[in-house]
Amino acid sequence: MEKKRVFRQEYIPSNKEYKFKSGDVAVIVEENKPNIKIKVDEKPYVLPYRDFIIITKQLN
């Protein structure tokens, strides 16, 4: 089963190449601290693990 988390707030990473909106669903591809690989709308991204946990919440 895929692990998914939903963004609880809008988030623009420090490189500002993309933006996540509140309600976007992230599918966790690989959890390797300090970074985490995710997919949002089938596009891959890498975010800092700590930021990702703070700005998202688990989906049941």
Side-chain angles (χ1 to χ4, degrees), residues 12-55:
I12 302 173
S14 57
N15 61 17
K16 297 185 172 92
E17 291 178 20
Y18 42 87
K19 174 182 178 178
F20 299 108
K21 297 180 289 233
S22 177
D24 281 348
V25 175
V27 177
I28 297 172
V29 177
E30 185 179 337
E31 292 180 86
N32 280 336
K33 291 182 182 178
N35 295 322
I36 186 166
K37 293 179 183 175
I38 62 170
K39 286 191 303 186
V40 177
D41 292 330
E42 298 303 316
K43 293 182 184 175
Y45 301 96
V46 175
L47 290 178
Y49 186 85
R50 181 177 171 277
D51 289 2
F52 181 74
I53 295 303
I54 290 170
I55 60 173

Side-chain angles (χ1 to χ4, degrees), residues 1 4 58-60:
M1 186 171 146
K4 295 182 180 179
Q58 282 186 325
L59 282 179
N60 293 335

